[in-house]
Amino acid sequence: MNQDELLRQLYDFTLVGNAPEVLSLTNQGLAMGLGPEMLLYEALIPSLEEVGARFERGDFFVPEMLIAGRAMAGALEVLRPLLAETGAEPIGKIVMGTVKGDVHDIGKNLVNIMFEGAGFEVIDLGVQVSPEKFIDAIKEHKPDIVGFSAFLTTTMPMFKANINALQKAGMREQVIIMVGGAPVTQEYADVVGADGYASDASAAVVRAKELLSQRRALARA
Ligand code: B1M
């Protein structure tokens, strides 16, 4: 099998949620010398985008989305150590979670992996995270950044609810707030009063580093 065939098969088996094949092709791809980013961005992520498009058209239903998501999550576990390889001292601490009411975590997990790869310490609170749980975690871990992920238009308003809760607790200025997720835009992030937004995992790392260095420069001034 050549590189193009492997990527095609990885795409096709993710689409139908065949987790054992997805795992095996991911391992084969790595053994062939394909980079983890290539497997992610040229097969796994485009395949999940197609799953979403089919769901919107009514060709796929929740069970199909679920098994495709599980197949992707299995591959991500294999890719995680390769994407997150770093020997460096942590450059900052991030508390991350998917907001209350939302169970999507693949995108958040990928952002976490890229943060870890860039040298951040990540405290992952999981999914369906309430404002109270975010506040407790900020008190406990004292992160530089708190990241909220939302993947549904119906759960995006939780960004504002979280920020209001932080304000009420007198903690808003202690942390940089970043938001992201499939339906989120820069405009929405501005409206809710977040400090930063990114459209994907790589952009999230770049934005987090920018925000952190701005904050540290201000603290030194
Ligand atoms: Co759901 N789902 N889902 N789903 N699902 C979407 C999100 C949807 C877009 C599909 C569609 O209609 N096209 C749609 C949302 C529509 C909307 O609101 N605009 C949708 C729906 C409607 C639903 C349900 C309501 C379906 C139902 O029950 N009727 C339901 C909701 C359940 C709930 O949460 N309460 C539901 C359920 C599920 C499953 C459980 C079956 C499964 C989730 C499995 C899991 O995550 N463990 C699932 C899946 C798999 C999807 C799709 C197909 C794939 C999501 C994914 O993993 N993408 C998705 C379609 C799509 O996205 N095109 C869909 C790949 C991932 C790498 O990308 O998540 O965008 P993404 O993450 C990116 C960026 O967003 C960004 O970086 C990530 C990596 O590059 N990012 C950040 C994420 N967090 C960030 C934080 C940052 C910065 C960047 O800073 C802090």
Side-chain angles (χ1 to χ4, degrees):
M1 190 175 358
N2 66 29
Q3 173 179 318
D4 287 346
E5 283 162 359
L6 185 132
L7 291 172
R8 183 76 226 173
Q9 284 200 21
L10 189 54
Y11 177 97
D12 289 342
F13 280 119
T14 306
L15 196 60
V16 295
N18 186 330
E21 282 294 344
V22 169
L23 200 58
S24 158
L25 285 162
T26 301
N27 284 317
Q28 280 179 56
L30 293 173
M32 275 167 71
L34 303 189
E37 286 91 357
M38 180 182 272
L39 298 171
L40 258 181
Y41 294 108
E42 293 187 27
L44 294 162
I45 292 179
S47 184
L48 276 198
E49 279 164 4
E50 176 58 21
V51 171
R54 290 187 186 195
F55 177 77
E56 267 177 47
R57 292 201 302 268
D59 295 335
F60 271 16
F61 298 95
V62 173
E64 281 94 345
M65 278 211 291
L66 191 59
I67 57 169
R70 281 199 190 134
M72 162 90 171
L76 215 51
E77 281 314 300
V78 174
L79 300 179
R80 174 185 284 272
L82 303 169
L83 292 164
E85 248 167 26
T86 170
E89 280 290 297
I91 59 169
K93 205 189 267 188
I94 302 189
V95 161
M96 278 282 290
T98 299
V99 298
K100 188 174 171 182
D102 200 322
V103 304
H104 295 86
D105 66 355
I106 296 169
K108 167 187 66 64
N109 294 345
L110 190 51
V111 174
N112 287 349
I113 290 171
M114 298 308 261
F115 274 145
E116 283 167 9
F120 283 94
E121 180 186 348
V122 179
I123 294 116
D124 182 9
L125 304 181
V127 297
Q128 304 243 47
V129 182
S130 65
E132 298 73 29
K133 202 167 165 197
F134 275 116
I135 285 176
D136 288 348
I138 294 166
K139 280 185 189 152
E140 184 185 345
H141 300 288
K142 304 194 170 31
D144 303 288
I145 301 175
V146 59
F148 305 138
S149 291
F151 303 91
L152 299 167
T153 39
T154 50
T155 56
M156 281 164 57
M158 284 312 297
F159 291 158
K160 189 67 192 154
N162 288 344
I163 293 173
N164 286 346
L166 275 172
Q167 249 150 6
K168 210 168 161 200
M171 293 160 71
R172 171 64 185 95
E173 299 312 319
Q174 283 175 31
V175 283
I176 295 166
I177 295 178
M178 283 190 67
V179 296
V184 185
T185 60
Q186 180 66 59
E187 291 67 36
Y188 193 80
D190 293 341
V191 166
V192 298
D195 300 309
Y197 156 79
S199 60
D200 61 41
S202 309
V205 169
V206 173
R207 190 74 187 111
K209 284 182 176 173
E210 274 170 13
L211 290 164
L212 200 52
S213 57
Q214 281 165 12
R215 172 79 50 127
R216 285 179 178 161
L218 267 179
R220 278 196 302 271

